[in-house]
Amino acid sequence: MNQGSTRRSEPEGVRTAAEADLDQLSRIDNEIFPHDAYPYFVLRQLFDVHSDGFLVLDSATGLLGYTLLATKPDVKTSWVLGLGVVPGSRGLGHGRRLMTEGLVRLAAEGVGEVRLSVEPTNVIALNLYHSLGFGVVEERPGFFGAGNDRLIMGLPLADRR
């Protein structure tokens, strides 16, 4: 069978990541965040600890993006540890799709609030998060070390249950 003739380019859907995805996740993380990608061993450990919150957007041509959600043991707060879409697939609503699915799952689990950090100059991410209902709750100079300032954004999930 010629696999090339059966491949589609449109997304098939958001699903929970599988261990078999780790090599491809590492490759796309390096493509998405060339200067800030998770080292493979960290990605592996995050998968082992937070596999239920590791969502990927899968297509017949491969993974188009991912989000990583980590919920604190008390289930009051979950953090978005990563959201990214491969460069050739940006601007098509894939990041929104990943985040929306993640928020639905977190609300169903009873999570009270979702938080994330974002670079203050990342206008595209800020627009996405604002449109999903997130608001800035804190400015954190040096959050990721000197010169790596971040805005902390939060979204209460009580209204989504």
Side-chain angles (χ1 to χ4, degrees):
M1 178 170 125
N2 180 353
Q3 288 183 339
S5 64
T6 62
R7 289 200 173 267
R8 299 182 348 217
S9 60
E10 67 272 8
E12 291 178 351
V14 175
R15 64 172 173 81
T16 304
E19 185 172 3
D21 295 321
L22 286 173
D23 284 339
Q24 189 175 10
L25 276 167
S26 181
R27 282 193 302 278
I28 70 167
D29 194 49
N30 277 285
E31 183 180 359
I32 296 167
F33 305 108
H35 304 292
D36 297 315
Y38 286 118
Y40 185 91
F41 78 93
V42 173
L43 198 64
R44 169 72 218 202
Q45 292 172 330
L46 288 167
F47 174 80
D48 287 342
V49 175
H50 302 291
S51 59
D52 290 345
F54 218 138
L55 305 179
V56 294
L57 181 57
D58 199 0
S59 78
T61 59
L63 300 181
L64 301 179
Y66 77 92
T67 189
L68 175 55
L69 310 165
T71 302
K72 289 183 160 191
D74 64 8
V75 192
K76 290 181 181 176
T77 308
S78 187
W79 279 82
V80 178
L81 299 182
L83 171 66
V85 174
V86 295
S89 295
R90 292 180 182 156
L92 302 173
H94 298 327
R96 175 178 304 285
R97 189 171 178 192
L98 283 159
M99 282 297 298
T100 299
E101 178 65 23
L103 294 173
V104 166
R105 291 180 184 207
L106 293 173
E109 293 170 10
V111 171
E113 181 184 25
V114 179
R115 290 215 167 183
L116 57 86
S117 68
V118 63
E119 189 175 320
T121 59
N122 189 341
V123 176
I124 293 170
L126 285 166
N127 288 340
L128 171 64
Y129 298 138
H130 281 298
S131 74
L132 291 168
F134 283 85
V136 175
V137 295
E138 186 179 0
E139 294 181 23
R140 295 289 304 268
F143 187 70
F144 286 132
N148 285 308
D149 304 340
R150 293 294 186 269
L151 298 175
I152 305 301
M153 300 183 80
L155 173 68
L157 290 182
D159 299 339
R160 294 180 183 252
R161 290 188 197 130

